[in-house]
Amino acid sequence: MADSESFTRIALALPGATSGPHFDRTAFKVTRTFATLAADGLSANLKFTPDEQEFKCQLAPQVFEAINNGWGRQGWTTIWLGAATEEDVAAALAMVHVHAVGVAKKK
């Protein structure tokens, strides 16, 4: 089982990743935000592509859930940390981090 501490540790170990406040959450970014951690530490949101989101939600629906709004249609997905392993978290964060790094390189 993953938790907010392992999520934060894994996210900040990614190259160039920083964290800071984002409304009532903690945001993790490399130029662009790739993940946010809920204040209660029970879940986080990740910025997948829509195809990645669909894959993750089908593969592990108890772990990943598309956000049911416009942000979700853009790929933002909730990961439920209590249902996730640290390996789930690490793989998901690595996937979304790549997109944030790609955006940073384009600038």
Side-chain angles (χ1 to χ4, degrees):
M1 177 173 81
D3 59 22
S4 62
E5 289 178 12
S6 60
F7 184 91
T8 299
R9 176 179 41 79
I10 294 165
L12 291 177
L14 295 166
T18 61
S19 67
H22 182 75
F23 300 99
D24 63 335
R25 305 175 74 84
T26 301
F28 298 88
K29 62 183 176 177
V30 178
T31 305
R32 275 228 174 133
T33 299
F34 61 88
T36 63
L37 179 63
D40 65 9
L42 299 177
S43 67
N45 293 336
L46 306 165
K47 176 60 168 91
F48 291 116
T49 66
D51 288 342
E52 291 167 343
Q53 177 191 62
E54 181 179 5
F55 174 75
K56 288 289 196 181
C57 291
Q58 285 180 0
L59 180 69
Q62 72 284 6
V63 176
F64 298 98
E65 179 180 1
I67 296 173
N68 189 21
N69 62 22
W71 292 104
R73 289 187 291 280
Q74 294 176 37
W76 282 97
T77 306
T78 299
I79 181 170
W80 297 101
L81 298 177
T85 64
E86 286 196 23
E87 291 78 17
D88 293 329
V89 169
L93 282 169
M95 187 177 282
V96 298
H97 177 261
V98 166
H99 302 305
V101 170
V103 169
K105 287 183 179 178
K106 289 179 184 179
K107 290 189 173 192

